[in-house]
């Protein structure tokens, strides 16, 4: 997956966002989330990834409408390129969501949860 700064640059170039604050909102987060996350070198968690993935579909739908309404060949080409890029980013987000979910699941799977009956018997010995 691309890092947040690369994704921000892509969405800025596409005209999907105009500021870091707006980009943070696409992730379902507070306006300062992007700058805070990138300055700390962190990666988005499952919740922001899922929210961003949902927003990609909304942007994709808006782009498809704009493409159907334009008569300008240059604009149609730019919109088509944007749609292709959105599909790639959507696939990257889905992969990142699955990877994070699998990491969480494997952590839970390997975590030993004590048997309460056994723990009680051991305390009374």
């Amino acid at each position: 997956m691309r890092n947040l700064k690369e994704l921000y640059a892509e969405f800025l170039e596409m005209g999907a966002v105009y500021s870091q604050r707006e980009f943070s909102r696409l992730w379902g987060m507070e306006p300062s989330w992007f700058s805070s996350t990138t300055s700390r070198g962190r990666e988005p968690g499952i919740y922001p990834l899922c929210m961003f993935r949902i927003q990609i579909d909304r942007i994709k739908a808006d782009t498809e409408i704009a493409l159907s309404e334009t008569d300008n060949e240059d604009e149609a080409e730019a919109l088509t390129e944007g749609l292709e890029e959105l599909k790639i980013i959507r696939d990257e987000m889905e992969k990142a969501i699955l990877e994070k979910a699998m990491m969480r699941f494997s952590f839970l799977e390997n975590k030993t949860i004590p048997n309460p009956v056994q723990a009680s018997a051991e305390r009374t010995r």
Side-chain angles (χ1 to χ4, degrees):
M1 181 179 100
R2 292 168 235 212
N3 68 41
L4 282 174
K5 289 181 182 179
E6 292 169 333
L7 287 168
Y8 174 65
E10 288 277 345
F11 276 69
L12 198 59
E13 185 179 324
M14 281 189 251
V17 297
Y18 299 99
S19 69
Q20 292 179 0
R21 298 170 70 80
E22 189 177 11
F23 188 67
S24 294
R25 293 285 188 196
L26 280 182
W27 292 79
M29 304 304 283
E30 294 295 321
S32 61
W33 176 80
F34 172 78
S35 61
S36 174
T37 302
T38 54
S39 69
R40 292 183 175 125
R42 294 184 178 166
E43 292 184 11
I46 290 177
Y47 175 79
L49 286 169
C50 289
M51 294 302 294
F52 188 61
R53 168 60 184 84
I54 291 166
Q55 292 300 322
I56 290 171
D57 281 343
R58 183 190 56 77
I59 294 167
K60 187 174 168 285
D62 291 347
T63 304
E64 288 168 343
I65 291 169
L67 180 59
S68 71
E69 294 175 348
T70 188
D71 294 328
N72 183 308
E73 286 183 31
D74 292 336
E75 185 178 0
E77 184 179 332
L79 290 168
T80 301
E81 289 173 8
L83 283 171
E84 291 301 317
E85 192 59 34
L86 285 170
K87 290 176 191 174
I88 292 167
I89 294 169
R90 179 195 62 205
D91 292 345
E92 288 176 17
M93 292 302 109
E94 288 176 355
K95 182 179 178 189
I97 291 166
L98 285 172
E99 287 173 356
K100 289 223 184 251
M102 288 172 62
M103 284 182 358
R104 274 203 181 163
F105 180 73
S106 67
F107 169 76
L108 292 174
E109 192 174 66
N110 294 329
K111 190 171 181 143
T112 305
I113 301 172
N115 180 330
V117 175
Q118 185 180 15
S120 176
E122 289 175 5
R123 280 195 301 262
T124 57
R125 288 185 192 168

